[in-house]
Amino acid sequence: QTLTFKRYFFTMLKPYKGLLSLVALIGILWALINSSMPYMQKLIIDHVVASAGDRSNIIASVGPYALGYICLWVALATNMRVLDWVKLRLSPSLREDVMKSMFAYLNQHSHQYFQNQFAGSLVNKVLDMQSGMVDIFNTLDDMYAQSIGLLVAITVLTLVHPVFAVVLACWALVFLTITFLFLNSIKELSHIFSESKTSVVGKMVDSIGNILNVR
């Protein structure tokens, strides 16, 4: 049965539901913490200004918010280290699964198919697939976290000043519009680059593998 890349991608990720749930939680925490830290800085500055130079009053009023900011910073650092741990667990296993499935799929092809293909090209496609799967996963993870972060930031800015929220929302809309406008051309160029690279690598590997005949 022929699989689209989308179905294949999620099929490969299915065994890692636990780690993926943890990644989703990390993204939400990152968005909340990352948006809360600037707001905490605002509260610190507001209380410093309200203290009007009274040092004893500054320490008493700013202390809880400064401690809160430090706790947020520690939580953010811890959150990112947990994300590193998850990716160290997930990436090598995902690469291995993709390489095994691709190699098993290749072995189902006919003898004539292998006669008409460069061995190096086939190996390069397998390697590109396993590295590409990890890259796509990391990109989707970043997009997920950034999207939640944007929503949280707009919500926080709405509480601070609605105009700031509108400016941020408009900037995000312009950024996304430009991205989608160039998306098709980027996909086409990426396909051309991938095919060209596969062809060159295939010829090089096969030439080296048959170096006696080439000489």
Side-chain angles (χ1 to χ4, degrees):
Q1 183 182 5
T2 302
L3 288 177
T4 62
F5 177 77
K6 182 179 179 180
R7 287 182 61 191
Y8 178 76
F9 179 77
F10 288 108
T11 299
M12 288 293 99
L13 288 177
K14 190 174 293 184
Y16 304 100
K17 290 180 179 179
L19 292 175
L20 293 176
S21 299
L22 188 55
V23 169
L25 177 60
I26 290 171
I28 294 173
L29 292 176
W30 176 86
L32 292 173
I33 297 171
N34 218 37
S35 298
S36 298
M37 291 179 71
Y39 186 71
M40 191 66 70
Q41 288 178 321
K42 170 195 177 300
L43 295 177
I44 292 173
I45 294 172
D46 288 346
H47 281 77
V48 169
V49 173
S51 298
D54 186 351
R55 293 187 177 181
S56 59
N57 190 33
I58 288 178
I59 295 175
S61 61
V62 173
Y65 299 101
L67 181 60
Y69 182 85
I70 294 173
C71 291
L72 287 174
W73 183 85
V74 172
L76 181 62
T78 303
N79 196 52
M80 298 310 296
R81 297 295 74 77
V82 173
L83 178 61
D84 291 339
W85 176 82
V86 171
K87 290 187 175 182
L88 286 173
R89 288 289 303 274
L90 177 62
S91 296
S93 298
L94 181 60
R95 289 176 184 272
E96 181 183 2
D97 290 347
V98 171
M99 291 185 71
K100 285 181 177 179
S101 68
M102 291 290 291
F103 189 70
Y105 176 74
L106 272 178
N107 280 334
Q108 298 174 7
H109 286 69
S110 64
H111 178 71
Q112 183 181 3
Y113 175 83
F114 289 101
Q115 290 293 316
N116 296 330
Q117 300 289 332
F118 285 116
S121 297
L122 297 176
V123 172
N124 185 70
K125 287 182 178 181
V126 173
L127 295 177
D128 277 350
M129 177 63 84
Q130 57 94 17
S131 61
M133 288 281 286
V134 175
D135 291 340
I136 291 172
F137 171 76
N138 290 331
T139 301
L140 290 177
D141 176 44
D142 289 341
M143 290 175 58
Y144 165 76
Q146 295 289 347
S147 298
I148 296 178
L150 179 62
L151 293 175
V152 173
I154 291 175
T155 302
V156 173
L157 286 176
T158 302
L159 298 175
V160 175
H161 201 298
V163 174
F164 295 156
V166 172
V167 171
L168 179 59
C170 291
W171 175 87
L173 182 61
V174 171
F175 181 83
L176 290 174
T177 301
I178 294 173
T179 299
F180 281 109
L181 286 176
F182 285 96
L183 190 60
N184 288 331
S185 59
I186 291 173
K187 286 171 61 178
E188 183 179 351
L189 291 173
S190 297
H191 179 72
I192 294 172
F193 170 77
S194 178
E195 291 296 327
S196 300
K197 178 189 171 189
T198 297
S199 177
V200 171
V201 171
K203 292 175 181 178
M204 289 177 62
V205 172
D206 280 41
S207 295
I208 295 172
N210 298 280
I211 191 65
L212 294 179
N213 292 331
V214 172
R215 286 181 173 177

